[in-house]
Amino acid sequence: MNSGKSVTVIGGGIAGLSSAVFLAEKGCRVKLIESSPKLGGRAYSFYDQEKKMFFDNGQHILAGWYENTFDFLKITGSFGLLDFQSALEINFINENMQIFRLKCTDDDPPMNLVMGLLKFKALNFNDKFRLRNINKILKGEKDSLLKYDNAGELLRDLNQTDNLMKYFWEPLILAVFNTKPLNVGTEVFINVLKTGFGEKGNSNLVIPSVDLNALLINKTVEYFERKDVTVITGERVKQIDIGEKVNFIILENGEKIFSDYYISAVPFFSFARLFDEKISGKFKFDPDSLKHSCIISVHIFLKEEIPEEMIPDNSLGMTGLTGTSVQWIFLRSRKHLSLVISGADDIGLTDESPEKIFETCVNDLKKCIRDFDKIKISDYRVIKEKRATFIPSAESGRNRPGQRTEFENFFIAGDWTDTGLPSTIESAVKSSKIISDHI
Ligand SMILES: Cc1cc2nc3c(=O)[nH]c(=O)nc-3n(C[C@H](O)[C@H](O)[C@H](O)COP(=O)(O)OP(=O)(O)OC[C@H]3O[C@@H](n4cnc5c(N)ncnc54)[C@H](O)[C@@H]3O)c2cc1C
């Protein structure tokens, strides 16, 4: 099928790639332009010459509710490269070396979560008693909860205990929103909970069984070759020329590109630069209303295998740490631990040196894992992504632009557009799906 429509996509991150895929699938002639030499934007892998292996720029976790992402990956042929949990299951180790397992049951939601939390030994009777208030979020009217500015205020008013915050809400919020509860707008928080615990399977975690290039880029590039999608990398779009509608775009090298439709899939901080100052004011979007949040990943290589009793395995080899700077350990192998520090700005780690960050990680591991001080470390890598996500505050929620604009042939894609979701792959792909349906 060839719709005959031509579309130019600016930006080769996940929003740009998925826009190109959905539109090529509908028969459009697509040209994608990416300023950097590589595709993938904030989700990519790079080759480390010394270790002779690929590293992701950060562990990416998906969930059962990523329906638009799954559609994208099914079209490119990557869907089979995902590992799905059969039920939400996470091990936690606290700063007193106690290990707890949260395992949701096979019941329909929200019973699966309630039953899992009732059996979760990190919680005491009082914590479990307060759990019934979760229903006010899951089953309640969203509008009545919007009087709260943020998730922190809402949870405090629902009498969630310190223990519930420590073992359930804070790990969940940091993993999904990459910041603390007080920074998360109530609306986006409720959206995620209602979606995540809305249908069976939605809350199950999903992780790639391969690196991010293999999951998101390589097969997409093969798909583009089959569908004659033109991809230009290493070429920045300098300006979008707009009158009544977009007339053309100009590349840094002076070349003009003409098409029927144009999609911006650049990050929020690059968006205004694409236009003449007079025009950028028309989008009623203030880039300063969005703030970044950093994620730090630390890979630790061990001389010997770490025994099972130190880090018990679970379905995805994922363990949460509580009372520490490190939040997650992913067991890549028994000799390779991949650690995640989300919301690194909140704990003042973003500008620390790799040596200092590594030292913090090792101290956390010693604090939580019995006998970790006997384990010999052979090597480590620290990967910092200062602009990993935006902070989904209530204010940012009011400022995110929709995908359609007042210019009929111009659309905006990206995780930061108004999808009702936090800064995630799913938000990026959802924005593309909305646009491809309009076009
Ligand atoms: C360390 C880390 C961990 C993360 N963990 C998760 C996770 O667990 N789960 C999850 O769902 N999400 C996670 N995310 C977030 C996820 O990666 C992003 O939400 C998503 O990749 C955003 O995609 P995007 O296409 O909207 O934007 P971007 O990836 O920022 O892509 C924008 C692209 O536009 C290009 N560009 C900019 N200006 C121009 C121009 N003038 N001309 C041409 N091209 C231009 C840029 O080079 C870039 O490639 C994580 C991100 C990081 C960094």
Side-chain angles (χ1 to χ4, degrees):
M1 183 183 69
N2 189 335
S3 75
K5 294 172 182 170
S6 58
V7 187
T8 305
V9 179
I10 308 165
I14 303 307
L17 294 174
S18 55
S19 293
V21 165
F22 290 139
L23 287 163
E25 200 60 11
K26 289 180 186 233
C28 297
R29 281 174 289 121
V30 185
K31 189 173 268 186
L32 182 141
I33 299 146
E34 163 58 47
S35 57
S36 92
K38 61 147 191 69
L39 295 170
R42 275 172 283 155
Y44 68 98
S45 329
F46 60 91
Y47 191 70
D48 184 298
Q49 289 293 349
E50 203 187 313
K51 294 228 72 83
K52 302 211 174 342
M53 63 183 284
F54 278 96
F55 283 95
D56 288 344
N57 69 323
Q59 174 68 51
H60 279 64
I61 312 170
L62 287 66
W65 55 273
Y66 276 38
E67 53 174 337
N68 296 293
T69 307
F70 299 152
D71 284 350
F72 161 53
L73 297 178
K74 279 176 190 165
I75 297 172
T76 60
S78 290
F79 183 69
L81 301 173
L82 294 172
D83 281 341
F84 284 75
Q85 284 187 325
S86 54
L88 177 65
E89 177 188 339
I90 303 172
N91 288 343
F92 286 95
I93 312 184
N94 70 11
E95 66 277 34
N96 299 320
M97 302 183 178
Q98 291 171 294
I99 301 175
F100 303 105
R101 176 166 293 193
L102 170 64
K103 187 165 186 199
C104 290
T105 59
D106 200 30
D107 296 291
D108 284 337
M111 270 324 272
N112 60 343
L113 171 69
V114 173
M115 293 307 287
L117 286 169
L118 286 176
K119 287 192 212 149
F120 188 30
K121 294 206 166 68
L123 304 180
N124 61 35
F125 179 78
N126 185 33
D127 304 325
K128 290 175 186 171
F129 182 68
R130 300 293 171 88
L131 272 175
R132 70 197 196 292
N133 289 348
I134 296 183
N135 259 337
K136 292 194 178 145
I137 307 179
L138 295 178
K139 302 262 185 217
E141 278 294 312
K142 188 159 112 183
D143 287 353
S144 67
L145 299 170
L146 293 181
K147 63 180 177 199
Y148 300 101
D149 176 76
N150 59 66
E153 275 183 14
L154 170 65
L155 294 171
R156 198 179 50 215
D157 231 47
L158 292 179
N159 293 321
Q160 300 300 283
T161 60
D162 289 350
N163 237 7
L164 274 170
M165 292 306 289
K166 178 172 170 180
Y167 288 103
F168 182 60
W169 291 116
E170 279 167 5
L172 173 92
I173 287 172
L174 265 171
V176 179
F177 300 95
N178 188 27
T179 189
K180 57 190 175 194
L182 286 172
N183 285 340
V184 178
T186 310
E187 185 160 16
V188 68
F189 177 58
I190 295 173
N191 288 348
V192 167
L193 285 188
K194 280 189 186 276
T195 316
F197 296 103
E199 275 179 45
K200 205 162 182 169
N202 276 11
S203 59
N204 300 357
L205 300 177
V206 180
I207 63 168
S209 62
V210 291
D211 64 59
L212 288 173
N213 283 1
L215 180 78
L216 298 168
I217 321 289
N218 303 352
K219 291 227 184 258
T220 306
V221 170
E222 286 172 21
Y223 172 88
F224 287 160
E225 282 163 7
R226 289 197 299 279
K227 291 282 183 176
D228 279 338
V229 172
T230 308
V231 178
I232 302 171
T233 50
E235 204 61 71
R236 199 175 74 87
V237 172
K238 192 173 163 202
Q239 202 170 42
I240 300 180
D241 187 275
I242 298 194
E244 292 290 298
K245 56 182 196 165
V246 175
N247 300 316
F248 54 85
I249 61 165
I250 312 171
L251 303 187
E252 198 87 280
N253 67 10
E255 188 188 341
K256 288 181 184 169
I257 294 182
F258 297 82
S259 56
D260 298 324
Y261 295 93
Y262 301 83
I263 299 174
S264 157
V266 306
F268 67 88
F269 50 88
S270 307
F271 182 72
R273 279 186 240 140
L274 293 174
F275 307 93
D276 190 274
E277 235 172 66
K278 276 184 266 148
I279 298 288
S280 57
K282 283 202 165 197
F283 292 106
K284 298 182 191 79
F285 159 69
D286 171 15
D288 293 335
S289 67
L290 289 177
K291 304 270 179 291
H292 300 289
S293 186
C294 172
I295 297 181
I296 302 175
S297 310
V298 180
H299 293 263
I300 295 191
F301 298 90
L302 309 176
K303 284 197 172 144
E304 292 140 30
E305 294 200 344
I306 187 158
E308 166 88 28
E309 58 273 20
M310 284 195 185
I311 305 184
D313 210 354
N314 71 354
S315 68
L316 293 181
M318 178 179 171
T319 301
L321 296 190
T322 61
T324 47
S325 300
V326 173
Q327 288 113 26
W328 302 107
I329 306 174
F330 289 86
L331 213 53
R332 294 299 169 112
S333 76
R334 292 245 155 236
K335 290 173 92 173
H336 176 184
L337 310 180
S338 157
L339 313 181
V340 178
I341 304 174
S342 303
D345 311 286
D346 295 340
I347 50 173
L349 271 186
T350 304
D351 295 319
E352 290 294 352
S353 65
E355 293 75 20
K356 170 77 186 147
I357 292 170
F358 169 67
E359 194 188 308
T360 305
C361 291
V362 173
N363 286 340
D364 280 354
L365 294 174
K366 284 183 183 165
K367 198 155 77 170
C368 295
I369 300 173
R370 197 174 305 283
D371 291 335
F372 191 82
D373 47 357
K374 295 189 185 128
I375 298 281
K376 300 230 166 10
I377 294 171
S378 58
D379 203 357
Y380 71 92
R381 292 286 183 279
V382 175
I383 304 163
K384 229 188 253 183
E385 283 282 355
K386 289 194 177 182
R387 290 168 161 183
T389 62
F390 64 83
I391 295 182
S393 63
E395 194 204 346
S396 78
R398 289 187 285 273
N399 261 293
R400 291 165 72 179
Q403 292 75 31
R404 292 176 84 170
T405 68
E406 67 175 83
F407 305 98
E408 55 161 277
N409 68 345
F410 180 60
F411 297 86
I412 314 173
D415 63 348
W416 59 281
T417 61
D418 186 11
T419 58
L421 299 176
S423 178
T424 51
I425 289 182
E426 177 62 8
S427 179
V429 182
K430 184 177 175 187
S431 70
S432 314
K433 192 62 156 310
I434 293 170
I435 293 170
S436 72
D437 288 345
H438 281 308
I439 290 181

